[in-house]
Structure formats: C-alpha cells, structure tokens
Amino acid sequence: MASNKNKLAFLSMPAPASYVAGLGRGASGFTTRSDIGPAREGPSAEVIAEAQARRGEEPEIDPEQFQDPDNEYGLFAGTTYEQDDEEADKIYDDVDQKMDSRRRARREARENAELVKHRAERPKIQQQFADLKRGLSVVTDQEWESIPEVGNLTRKKRRKDERTFAVPDSIIVGDRSKSEYENSLDTRQQQANGFETPADTGTMTNFVEIGQARDKILSLKLDQISGTATTSGSATSVDPKGYLTSLNSVVLKTEAEIGDIKRARMLFDSLVKSNPKHAPGWIAAACLEEHAGRMVAARKLIKAGCEQCPKSDDVWLEAARLHNNDDAKVILANAVQHVGQSVKIWLAAADLEQDAKSKKRVLRKALENIPNSVRLWKETVNLEESATDARILLSRAVEVIPLSVELWLALARLETPERAKAVLNKARKSVPTSHEIWIAAGRLLEQGATGDPEKTTETINKELDLVDKTIELGVRQLRQHQVLLTREQWLKEAERCESDGSPRTCEAIIKATVSMEVEEEDRLDTWVSDAESAEARGMVGTARAVLAYALKVFPDQRNLWRKAADLEKAHGTKESLDGVLSQAVHYCPQAEVLWLMSAKEKWLAGDVPAAREVLEKAFIANPESEQIWLAAVKLEAENGELGVARELLVRARTVADTERIWMKSAVFERQQGQYAAALETVSTALSKFPKFAKLYMVQGQIRQMEKQYSTARASYAAGLKACPKEITLWVLASKLEELDGKSIKARALLEKGRLVNPANEILWAESVGVEERSGGAAQAKAMLARGLQECPSSGLLWSMSIWAEPRPTRKSRSVDALKKSKDNPLITCTVARLFWTERKIEKARQWFSRSVATEQDKDIGDHWGWWLKFERQHGTPEYMEEVIRQCVAAEPHHGPVWQVIAKDDKNVGKSTKELLAMVADALQ
C-alpha cells in the first residue's frame, strides 16, 4: 500500500513551470484569461474630457439625451430626487389622466374606424379564405379525393425515406421452394386417381362481364377524345363507326407533361381569380384545357371569360373557335351586341357562313355598324360577281371613306379608261399626298396608248410622252405637299410597275427620280450600281431605264455604253442591241470595242455587208487601229474572200505597221500553205520587232512542220536569247528536242528555263511531263515534289499530284490541294473528275459547274471539254445542250488541249461548238 501512495504522490504536487498537459500524446498548449489576468481598464470619462479640453475639442453631446422627459441623465443627472419632486410628478400624472379621459371616446372610435377600414383594404389571409373554409363543409368525399396533390415547387431535392424491414421467414421459405421439383405424387392422388375439381365449386370465367368492362373502357376513351363526357348531357363529336380510328389519334402524355399541365392549370386558375378582367388569362386557360384534351372544361372557361370580359373581341373569337359552327354563330351574335365595332368579329361571323349570299348579308350588316372600315368594304366587294355591283359598292365606299387610296384605285380599275381618269382626278384631290394615285394615272395612260393596235407610232409616242409628264408633275406636286420619298422607295415603285407590265411608267419614274439625293461627282458610280443591282434582281427594264438616263447625262462614257450593250445582248433583242451599238459608235467613235461589237453582231446575224459597212466606218474613225484591221481580215477570210483578206493585211502593214499585224500576216500565209511567204514575212517582221516572241514561235513551228529541226532549233534559240522570260518559247524548244529524240537536252533546257524563270508552274509541269514520257516514274514524282515546294499554291501541279497518287489516297490529296490552292479551277475540275470515277453523278456535275463559275474560269476550254465528255456518258441531251450553250456564250480561248486544237491550221474557221466537240474527243 505504501508503494501505491508513493506512486500517486505527484498528484498533490504543483506542476512544473513548463508543463503542458497531454504534450506527450501530441496535444498543444493554449492560454486563457486566467493565465494572463484581467484586461486593463480604459480611461474614465473625466480623463477623456480633460484630454479633449487640452486639444481644444468640444465634448460630443448626444442629441437624444434631452428628448425623453423620463430620462434625467442629461440636465438633472446629478440632482437628488426629493419629496417635492415626487409630488410634482403626481400632479403631472393626474393632469395627463384628466386630459386623456376627455378625448378617449372620440379617439377610440376613430381608431376602431381606421382599423375596420384597414382590415377591409388589406384583409388577413385567414379572412380571405373564410368563405372557402365554410364551403368545405359541403365537399363530398369523392370531390375531396379528386383534389390533385401539390407538386414540389421549391426545386429542392427531398430526402427519400429509406426505411428497412426484416424479411419474414415465409418469404424466404417460399422463394426457396420456387426452384424445387416434386418427385412423388401424394398418397391420396395415388389412391383416388388424382384430385378432381368439381365444376360447380370452382370459379368460372364470366365473358359477359369482360365484354361489359371492355365496352366501358372504350366509351371512356371516346369521351376523352371528343372532350365531352357522357354525363354532361351533350352529344359526342366522334363518329361511333370510326372510333377505332379515333383511338389511334390519342396522344399519350408522360408523367412530366401531366405534371406541367397541372401546375399550369393552378397558375391560370389563380390568374383568372385574382384578375378576372384580364382577357388573355382566360384565353390561355382555355387553350391549356384544349391541349390537355378537356374540351368541356375549355368551353366552360372561355364562357366565363366572355362573361367577365365582354368587351374583348379576342375572347369571343376564341370561344367561337372552340365550338362547332352552329354554336359559334350564336356566340358571335352575342359578341356583336357587346363589341359591335370590332371588324374581326364581323369577319369571323362572315367566315362561318357557307354560301355567298349569307356572307354578303353579314358583311352588309357589318357595314351598317362600321361604315368606315376599309377591310369590310374590300371583303364585300370581293364577294360580288358582277363588275357593275362592285363598281356601285366602291362608289359608295369612296364617298364614305374618301381618304382610302386602295378603294380609289380599285374603283379606277373597274371603270372605263375615260371614267377612270375622272376617278383618279377625284382621288388626287381627295388624297393629294398619295404617290400611288399618280403612278396609277401613269399606268392608265400607258395602257391607253398601247392598248389600241390601230394607232400609229407617232400617236403612241405622243401619248407615251404624257406618261413622263404625268409622273414628273406628280413628283413636283408631292414635293409641294411635303411628301418626300427616297430614291430607294421610288426605285422599288419603278420595279413594281415593271413587274405589273408597265415598262414606260417604270422608265418615267426613273427619269423623274433617279437623280434625287445624289452628289454630282457620285452620279455615274451610283447609277451604274443601281443598274447592276436591278439587273441582279431580274428587273431588266429598270436597269435599262437607269442606264438610258445615265447615257443622256454622260454620252461620252464608253464603259457605260459597253454595259448597256451587254445588257441588251443578255436580255434584249437584236434590234435593241443594234440600236444601242449604233448610238454608242455615234457618241464614242474612238471606242474600238464598240465598233467591233457592232460589226460582230451584224456578222452573227448573217448580214455580212452590214458588218463590212460598220468596219468601213470604223476605218474612217480609227485608221491606225490594229483590232479593226484584224477584224476586217477575219471577216473576209472566214467568208472565203482570201484575196481581199491578203490585200487588207498588206494595207494594214503599211498603215498600222504593228507587230501583231505582222504576226497575223505570217499566220495567215501559213494557214493557206504558203510557207515560203510566211517565212519571208516573219524575217521582215523580226528585223523590225526583234523582241516579239511570237514571231520566233511562228518561225520555229513552220521549220518544225517542214522537218527542219536544226533551223527550228536555231529559231527557238534566237527567240530564247531575245526573250528569255517567254515561257512558251522554253516549252516549244523542249518539245522540239523530245520530238527529235533528245530527252536529255529537253530536260536541260527546262532546267535552264526554271533558273531564268523561278517559281513557274508551267515549266515545272513540263519537266514532270518529260520525266513521265521518258519512263521515269520515280524521277517524275521527285520532280513534282520539288515543284510543289517551289510553287506551293499551283493548281496545275496539285492536279498532277492528285492523279499521281494511288486511287485510295486521291480524295485526301484533293482536300489538301483545295486548301493550298484556294479553290483553283484546275483543282475544282480535278475533284469533279474524281467524283466521276466514283460514279457520284450529281456531285460531279456540281463540281464541273463550279469549275466554270467565274469569268476567268470560263476562259479555260479544257474544263468545258471535260464537262461535255461527262454529260455524254452520264447526262441527258438537255444537259449536253446546256453545256454547249454556256460554252458558246463564254467563248473560251485557253487550256492546253483547247489551244492545240484551236490553233491547228486544219481547224481554222470552225465554230466554238465544233471545237468543243473535238476537245471532248481528244481529252483522256
């Protein structure tokens, strides 16, 4: 025992100074108020006041300390409460009680009245639902059970009650016995030959009850479809013979949709109860019930809405929509009594009528109530079958509504031309601010001028001049009445007139208004832009009128004449194009393009003498123009006048004396088989124009045709020395060496050409071709890779790279090519050919169309040839004709195969259609 006492002796000893309880097991020490002693008191109020006085600060005074008479902290804080103070307080209390008793009755009556008024204005929730609580006494158990459960509107997830129960032994035993099998019969079964179940003791299937239950379910489904309960007493709207078909139209709603409908029903119910005069609330509630398939409830709601909002025509219209035709008529008849000035109600009532006579009766009744409705008058007039009756109605309508422009114009259209003028004059006086009336007057004058075929041209022109004067006068009158339409609005009116078949009125509007709101220095650009936008919208007459007015202001603008000629060529007739070109060469005699266009159009029309006459006039105006000289030579040569063409070339070399005329002279002699004369002409021309590369080409080609390879090589060498930047010369020289069987020299020539002309795709493509023709596929592929490194955006090289790839990788290669070459037409044509090989016909046709989309792309004849070849194989004759038509209109001049065929001497004089067929045959 002694030893135990010694062990616990430390408990009575004081703890060491640095001891922290629990430090050995990881506890940390903490400090309390008892360890550091009480907090130091702050300065007293006297010390604070003395310090503020030394600093010159005034002590802060609480403004509330003198307000309460019971608070004697301030003024009498230091005094003693004595007996006389107590007596004074008692006297004051008695006085207060006396004064309070004098006005107590009146004050309490006033307070009670204010309380009653406040309760009437803002009743408690309990008072608001007092009548509903009293009404709960008559609610039956069935109605109580049919009240829907309130959903969770807090959007908070509630915790589900997870309760567990012990599984009874009977369930465990029964589950175990499910998989057991009986291996023996019961002893009683063995003795009595099995258990017999007498028929009179067992339950029998009652098929009659099953049929009745099925009929009841079908009737409930029919009621749900029709929206009319059988207990309501009203007839169902479903055909009993087609009830199975109707059952197929039942839309089964999910639980979420049903929940949404219930919540929306509660919201709308609260809305119509809190604000029963709000018509949209009733309409929305009825639409909800209609969506839910409860037509009876919807009709009841909209009926209550009609009673609460009898001045809202939308409620009445919704009620008419929810009922059948006969009930809707009754509803709209009641609606007229409340909102008799509603046009929509009357129109809806007219729409419910089946025959025209009843519609007329309803609309005439409507006009008696609302005579100033333009819409009612228009509907009434539209029902009239006789023009005379319609004219009578419109005459009455313009008397009642003299400011309606529509009615005036409708009346003018029904009148004869003479009486229509009188009607429009009356309309102009009644509505002086309407531009439609002036436009209608112009159209009327135009119809009168062009309607009689027996009139002479002079008479027609005089009457059409009245159209211009009428529109011009109208614009001035409108300005006087402060009606200022913008240029865009007038242009739209002009386009509308053109669409309605009044081109002269359109032209008159353009003449009178196109110069409005345009600065003088911006007129030309603005008018050209207006013409182009009108042409893009298909309004050719408007564009023609704008250009005609611009040409009157700027008659010396050759570009403007060119646009007018192109417009007539695309959309006009031969006569109109000839007229425009005749005026163009009259005002711009120095414009060679206009002379050539005029001569070409006459030549294409088959009038060769007229074309010669045009070119003779062009010679007079432009004696030194090489284009006109060459056009005259071409005209004579293609018409078989070779002697005249040769004489013209001689005169041209004397008068104009240009390098191109000398070159064309040599080519003409070569085409006629006069090689010696051609070489002599080339030699003379080279002495005059040693830097013109095409002369060396012609000379080399003639020597090559004569199998004089050495002299041809010398011609090309001289040309390369004089014109090292001419790519075609390098290619021709290379092909000559290949033709002579010297591929190594051709390769060296092309390499030298690439050094002189770096990053040139044509030279790289020719180098790849030389390697392929020499049989070096690997060298060709390496050369192509080098070319793509130097020309990464070359469409020609990328096209060759695509075809050099194996078939499975061509499509991915084409995607890279499209990205690198930025939709180059060569790549587009190559992609079309890829789709062609994959039998994707429509895609191939679309990509072929894209390859000739722009004006620059249309000049490549090989693309047209590939497209025609494709249509020959997979298209129809219509597609082929369309491709040929577009190609003839485009007149292509470039392309590797196209140029070879077009410049062949055997094909001189052939048309674009013939050349296209030959190119399509040559492509492979």
Side-chain angles (χ1 to χ4, degrees):
M1 293 294 292
S3 62
N4 290 338
K5 289 182 179 179
N6 292 334
K7 288 181 180 179
L8 300 175
F10 72 90
L11 294 175
S12 60
M13 298 180 182
S18 61
Y19 172 73
V20 178
L23 185 62
R25 61 177 184 272
S28 59
F30 55 89
T31 305
T32 62
R33 175 64 68 185
S34 61
D35 297 327
I36 62 177
R40 184 174 59 184
E41 295 183 359
S44 61
E46 291 81 3
V47 176
I48 294 174
E50 184 178 356
Q52 288 178 346
R54 285 199 303 268
R55 289 196 299 266
E57 298 178 359
E58 296 182 359
E60 295 182 0
I61 300 175
D62 185 9
E64 302 291 335
Q65 62 183 350
F66 301 113
Q67 300 300 323
D68 189 1
D70 296 330
N71 182 13
E72 296 182 350
Y73 173 78
L75 184 59
F76 303 102
T79 59
T80 304
Y81 189 80
E82 297 178 351
Q83 186 176 0
D84 53 351
D85 296 329
E86 184 178 358
E87 293 178 359
D89 289 338
K90 288 181 179 180
I91 293 171
Y92 279 113
D93 290 339
D94 293 339
V95 172
D96 291 339
Q97 291 178 3
K98 183 65 176 177
M99 297 296 292
D100 184 61
S101 63
R102 290 174 60 186
R103 300 182 178 87
R104 180 179 301 171
R106 285 184 292 177
R107 186 177 68 252
E108 291 179 353
R110 186 179 70 253
E111 289 177 354
N112 290 334
E114 291 177 354
L115 181 61
V116 170
K117 184 178 179 181
H118 179 73
R119 293 301 183 194
E121 293 177 354
R122 296 183 179 180
K124 295 181 179 179
I125 301 297
Q126 183 178 5
Q127 294 176 355
Q128 292 181 6
F129 289 93
D131 55 341
L132 299 178
K133 287 183 178 180
R134 287 193 298 271
L136 291 176
S137 60
V138 297
V139 176
T140 62
D141 294 339
Q142 184 178 3
E143 293 175 345
W144 185 264
E145 292 296 334
S146 63
I147 296 176
E149 295 292 336
V150 179
N152 181 17
L153 302 178
T154 61
R155 295 185 180 178
K156 295 181 180 179
K157 294 183 179 179
R158 297 183 178 179
R159 297 181 60 186
K160 296 182 179 179
D161 297 335
E162 297 180 356
R163 302 174 64 184
T164 59
F165 301 92
V167 181
D169 295 340
S170 59
I171 295 177
I172 298 175
V173 173
D175 188 61
R176 183 185 65 185
S177 62
K178 284 182 181 179
S179 59
E180 292 182 355
Y181 296 94
E182 293 289 343
N183 298 324
S184 62
L185 294 174
D186 190 88
T187 55
R188 290 176 295 173
Q189 284 181 308
Q190 297 176 6
Q191 295 173 1
N193 295 327
F195 294 145
E196 295 181 358
T197 303
D200 54 351
T201 59
T203 58
M204 295 182 64
T205 303
N206 191 344
F207 292 101
V208 177
E209 293 182 358
I210 292 177
Q212 292 176 353
R214 184 193 61 185
D215 295 340
K216 188 172 183 179
I217 291 173
L218 286 175
S219 64
L220 290 175
K221 291 287 186 182
L222 289 172
D223 292 339
Q224 182 181 3
I225 298 167
S226 63
T228 307
T230 56
T231 58
S232 64
S234 58
T236 178
S237 61
V238 176
D239 182 11
K241 296 181 181 179
Y243 68 93
L244 289 177
T245 305
S246 301
L247 285 176
N248 292 330
S249 64
V250 177
V251 179
L252 299 178
K253 295 181 174 60
T254 62
E255 294 182 1
E257 292 178 346
I258 294 173
D260 294 340
I261 290 174
K262 289 181 178 180
R263 284 192 287 270
R265 185 180 291 120
M266 293 173 60
L267 290 173
F268 286 135
D269 186 47
S270 175
L271 173 62
V272 298
K273 285 182 178 178
S274 61
N275 191 3
K277 300 298 182 183
H278 186 60
W282 291 102
I283 297 174
C287 290
L288 175 68
E289 298 299 338
E290 181 189 11
H291 176 71
R294 301 174 57 188
M295 290 299 297
V296 176
R299 290 167 183 165
K300 286 182 179 179
L301 277 172
I302 204 64
K303 181 180 179 182
C306 293
E307 294 173 356
Q308 295 290 338
C309 309
K311 298 299 182 182
S312 174
D313 50 1
D314 292 333
V315 176
W316 290 105
L317 292 173
E318 185 67 19
R321 188 185 67 83
L322 292 175
H323 288 76
N324 55 30
N325 202 358
D326 296 332
D327 295 339
K329 291 180 182 179
V330 177
I331 291 171
L332 292 180
N334 294 330
V336 168
Q337 297 178 2
H338 294 88
V339 281
Q341 297 298 314
S342 174
V343 177
K344 292 191 289 185
I345 295 292
W346 286 105
L347 291 175
D351 291 337
L352 292 176
E353 301 295 339
Q354 301 297 328
D355 56 326
K357 186 176 181 181
S358 301
K359 290 180 182 288
K360 292 178 184 179
R361 185 176 64 251
V362 173
L363 290 174
R364 290 178 187 273
K365 188 69 175 177
L367 288 173
E368 292 178 3
N369 291 285
I370 318 172
N372 57 350
S373 172
V374 177
R375 190 175 178 187
L376 286 176
W377 281 106
K378 290 172 65 178
E379 292 291 335
T380 307
V381 171
N382 289 336
L383 289 176
E384 295 295 338
E385 298 178 357
S386 173
T388 305
D389 296 338
R391 192 183 304 116
I392 294 172
L393 279 173
L394 286 172
S395 300
R396 175 59 182 163
V398 295
E399 292 177 3
V400 177
I401 316 174
L403 297 180
S404 174
V405 179
E406 294 179 78
L407 297 179
W408 282 109
L409 295 179
L411 179 59
R413 283 194 292 268
L414 292 177
E415 294 287 356
T416 60
E418 295 300 327
R419 298 184 64 180
K421 292 179 182 179
V423 169
L424 290 176
N425 286 329
K426 291 181 181 179
R428 180 173 53 81
K429 293 177 182 178
S430 301
V431 193
T433 58
S434 172
H435 63 280
E436 292 96 340
I437 295 175
W438 288 100
I439 295 175
R443 294 186 59 192
L444 180 64
L445 290 173
E446 182 179 358
Q447 292 173 4
T450 58
D452 189 0
E454 297 180 358
K455 292 183 179 179
T456 62
T457 306
E458 296 181 0
T459 306
I460 293 175
N461 292 334
K462 287 182 180 179
E463 293 182 1
L464 289 177
D465 292 338
L466 291 177
V467 177
D468 299 341
K469 295 179 181 178
T470 301
I471 297 298
E472 186 178 358
L473 177 61
V475 173
R476 288 203 304 266
Q477 292 289 335
L478 290 172
R479 287 177 181 172
Q480 291 177 4
H481 289 88
Q482 302 300 319
V483 180
L484 302 177
L485 273 71
T486 61
R487 287 184 69 257
E488 289 74 16
Q489 291 174 325
W490 281 114
L491 288 175
K492 288 181 180 179
E493 293 294 337
E495 292 179 359
R496 190 177 294 113
C497 289
E498 181 185 355
S499 302
D500 294 340
S502 301
R504 187 54 185 263
T505 308
C506 166
E507 184 179 350
I509 294 173
I510 294 297
K511 288 180 181 178
T513 61
V514 75
S515 59
M516 294 169 50
E517 304 173 3
V518 181
E519 298 292 337
E520 186 173 356
E521 60 271 11
D522 298 334
R523 289 183 299 174
L524 181 59
D525 296 337
T526 303
W527 291 339
V528 171
S529 176
D530 292 339
E532 290 176 351
S533 60
E535 183 182 3
R537 290 191 296 271
M539 299 298 170
V540 181
T542 305
R544 185 182 290 118
V546 173
L547 288 176
Y549 186 85
L551 286 171
K552 288 183 179 179
V553 181
F554 302 103
D556 55 344
Q557 290 289 332
R558 63 178 63 186
N559 292 331
L560 203 57
W561 284 108
R562 179 70 182 273
K563 287 185 178 296
D566 291 340
L567 179 68
E568 295 299 334
K569 185 177 181 180
H571 305 284
T573 61
K574 293 181 179 179
E575 292 76 12
S576 61
L577 176 59
D578 186 37
V580 170
L581 290 174
S582 300
Q583 293 182 9
V585 297
H586 174 71
Y587 286 104
C588 301
Q590 305 302 321
E592 301 173 359
V593 178
L594 298 176
W595 286 107
L596 295 176
M597 285 183 66
S598 179
K600 184 177 179 180
E601 293 301 325
K602 292 185 181 298
W603 178 25
L604 293 176
D607 193 357
V608 178
R612 288 196 182 102
E613 184 180 354
V614 171
L615 290 175
E616 288 176 2
K617 294 180 181 178
F619 284 137
I620 298 173
N622 304 277
E624 297 182 359
S625 173
E626 71 172 21
Q627 292 185 356
I628 296 175
W629 279 106
L630 294 177
V633 171
K634 184 177 181 181
L635 176 65
E636 300 298 341
E638 294 193 5
N639 284 280
E641 301 291 339
L642 300 179
V644 177
R646 187 174 283 107
E647 291 179 3
L648 285 173
L649 283 171
V650 173
R651 289 174 57 191
R653 291 198 298 269
T654 305
V655 176
D657 195 20
T658 62
E659 54 191 17
R660 191 159 179 263
I661 289 178
W662 281 96
M663 186 267 295
K664 288 291 182 179
S665 300
V667 171
F668 177 78
E669 297 296 343
R670 185 188 69 183
Q671 291 172 354
Q672 304 307 318
Q674 304 295 329
Y675 294 150
L679 289 174
E680 184 180 355
T681 304
V682 170
S683 300
T684 307
L686 284 174
S687 62
K688 292 185 175 184
F689 310 103
K691 295 293 185 180
F692 189 50
K694 287 189 177 182
L695 293 174
Y696 295 102
M697 297 179 197
V698 173
Q699 188 181 40
Q701 288 172 347
I702 294 174
R703 296 295 186 185
Q704 187 174 336
M705 292 169 64
E706 294 178 345
K707 305 296 183 180
Q708 299 178 9
Y709 294 146
S710 58
T711 54
R713 188 179 293 112
S715 298
Y716 289 142
L720 290 175
K721 185 176 181 181
C723 310
K725 297 295 183 181
E726 185 63 37
I727 307 300
T728 310
L729 269 175
W730 290 102
V731 174
L732 290 174
S734 170
K735 288 184 176 180
L736 175 64
E737 298 299 339
E738 272 192 284
L739 185 63
D740 198 18
K742 300 178 180 178
S743 299
I744 298 176
K745 196 168 184 181
R747 191 181 293 116
L749 268 174
L750 290 173
E751 188 172 356
K752 184 178 180 182
R754 293 199 305 271
L755 292 175
V756 178
N757 303 280
N760 187 274
E761 60 176 4
I762 298 176
L763 292 177
W764 279 106
E766 187 64 26
S767 299
V768 174
V770 169
E771 299 296 341
E772 288 179 348
R773 290 188 289 271
S774 299
Q779 291 85 350
K781 196 169 184 179
M783 185 68 69
L784 185 59
R786 289 174 55 195
L788 284 173
Q789 289 180 355
E790 190 168 344
C791 307
S793 61
S794 169
L796 178 60
L797 295 179
W798 274 110
S799 178
M800 298 176 69
S801 175
I802 292 172
W803 294 114
E805 292 288 330
R807 185 183 293 270
T809 59
R810 285 176 182 175
K811 186 175 289 185
S812 60
R813 193 67 170 172
S814 65
V815 174
D816 297 338
L818 287 171
K819 291 180 181 178
K820 296 287 186 180
S821 62
K822 300 179 182 178
D823 293 338
N824 189 283
L826 292 172
I827 302 300
T828 309
C829 185
T830 304
V831 173
R833 292 167 60 192
L834 287 178
F835 283 124
W836 180 6
T837 57
E838 295 176 0
R839 298 288 178 176
K840 296 180 179 179
I841 306 303
E842 289 301 324
K843 281 191 174 181
R845 184 174 288 118
Q846 292 176 4
W847 281 84
F848 275 125
S849 178
R850 287 178 58 182
S851 67
V852 291
T854 64
E855 292 296 329
Q856 186 177 1
D857 300 343
K858 290 179 181 179
D859 194 48
I860 304 177
D862 288 13
H863 296 175
W864 295 106
W866 281 116
W867 194 1
L868 180 61
K869 192 178 184 69
F870 165 77
E871 295 298 349
R872 283 178 178 177
Q873 185 174 350
H874 299 287
T876 60
E878 291 77 12
Y879 281 120
M880 294 169 57
E881 289 297 328
E882 181 64 21
V883 173
I884 293 172
R885 185 190 64 80
Q886 294 185 24
C887 180
V888 171
E891 296 182 358
H893 295 91
H894 293 88
V897 180
W898 182 277
Q899 286 181 315
V900 170
I901 293 177
K903 292 187 177 182
D904 192 349
D905 295 340
K906 301 177 183 178
N907 302 325
V908 175
K910 290 187 177 180
S911 63
T912 304
K913 182 178 179 180
E914 295 172 336
L915 292 175
L916 176 61
M918 297 176 67
V919 169
D921 295 334
L923 288 171
Q924 55 183 348

